[in-house]
Amino acid sequence: MLLAVHASVPAQASSTSTFDSTSNPVLFVHGYTGDASNWNTMANRFLTDGWPSSHLDKWSYDWRQSNATTAQQLSSEVDRLLAATGATKVDIISHSMGGLSSRYYLKNLGGTSKVDAWVSLGGPNHGTDSANSCFDTSCTEMRIGSSFLAALNSGDETPGSPSYATWWSPCDTVINPDTSVSLSGAANTQTACLSHTGLLTDATVYAQTRDTINH
């Protein structure tokens, strides 16, 4: 099976695995009920592949608030990271609901001029039925047909010059339907049979993500 063979390839196999002068600092955006520690495995792999810790920002925020509020805070964090590193652009890697606030930033807050690559791992970009059972502001925005998502997805789903990429798993029971993740204009990739949180730790997803942002 091709997926099984692909999954056995070491994450270090790529010739683009080393941080270089064209690599951007990475801002990690966790999802609903998540925190910065969600990114420990992936961030450690970036460290192993040569990224300095100063360029790996495992950011935390209050996941209960509106994704629009988070986007405002994310905007400030991007500016802080750019100032701290001297870079001109960042790459954003998001998990689950983190894709929504970061997309809002790109679409509505001028983020397209400061982001080179944007990644969504299991993002509810078109909603998920699992959000029907939670009631935080952020969660209701993830419901299929929410006014937040209708506005976010109106017009161009991948605006501006950043490269957009998504990864979705056929075994992700949190994002329903699976097709919610994919965006028009993005590179949309199906993974092996991974859980929703498994997207954060899978070596193949990491390698593909790394190569996507390090283009």
Side-chain angles (χ1 to χ4, degrees):
M1 183 177 172
L2 280 176
L3 279 175
V5 172
H6 195 177
S8 67
V9 177
Q12 287 76 22
S14 170
S15 63
T16 58
S17 64
T18 304
F19 180 88
D20 59 36
S21 60
T22 64
S23 303
N24 301 306
V26 180
L27 176 59
F28 298 97
V29 187
H30 65 74
Y32 186 71
T33 74
D35 59 42
S37 68
N38 292 166
W39 299 106
N40 288 351
T41 298
M42 184 173 284
N44 284 336
R45 285 175 169 147
F46 273 107
L47 284 170
T48 299
D49 280 344
W51 267 254
S53 57
S54 61
H55 284 57
L56 299 170
D57 185 2
K58 297 183 294 180
W59 182 60
S60 281
Y61 63 93
D62 180 357
W63 46 262
R64 299 171 184 83
Q65 65 193 6
S66 170
N67 287 288
T69 302
T70 300
Q72 296 277 359
Q73 297 168 352
L74 188 152
S75 177
S76 297
E77 184 64 14
V78 168
D79 289 346
R80 187 204 66 77
L81 184 58
L82 290 174
T85 59
T88 57
K89 291 191 176 184
V90 304
D91 295 325
I92 291 178
I93 300 178
S94 65
H95 179 241
S96 194
M97 188 182 73
L100 302 186
S101 59
S102 51
R103 286 182 62 206
Y104 188 99
Y105 165 65
L106 288 166
K107 180 182 178 75
N108 299 311
L109 302 177
T112 54
S113 66
K114 299 177 181 180
V115 176
D116 183 43
W118 174 88
V119 167
S120 172
L121 306 177
N125 292 309
H126 298 95
T128 175
D129 63 15
S130 62
N132 294 339
S133 58
C134 51
F135 300 94
D136 296 299
T137 300
S138 59
C139 189
T140 60
E141 291 172 349
M142 289 191 287
R143 293 177 181 173
I144 296 169
S146 73
S147 58
F148 178 87
L149 287 176
L152 186 63
N153 293 321
S154 63
D156 190 351
E157 291 189 342
T158 52
S161 60
S163 61
Y164 292 79
T166 78
W167 277 261
W168 63 275
S169 168
C171 301
D172 186 341
T173 59
V174 175
I175 305 301
N176 303 305
D178 295 335
T179 54
S180 176
V181 181
S182 298
L183 291 172
S184 176
N188 302 299
T189 301
Q190 178 181 340
T191 71
C193 183
L194 302 174
S195 68
H196 188 58
T197 56
L199 292 163
L200 292 163
T201 56
D202 181 73
T204 297
V205 172
Y206 162 70
Q208 292 172 345
T209 298
R210 177 203 62 211
D211 292 350
T212 293
I213 68 168
N214 211 34
H215 57 274

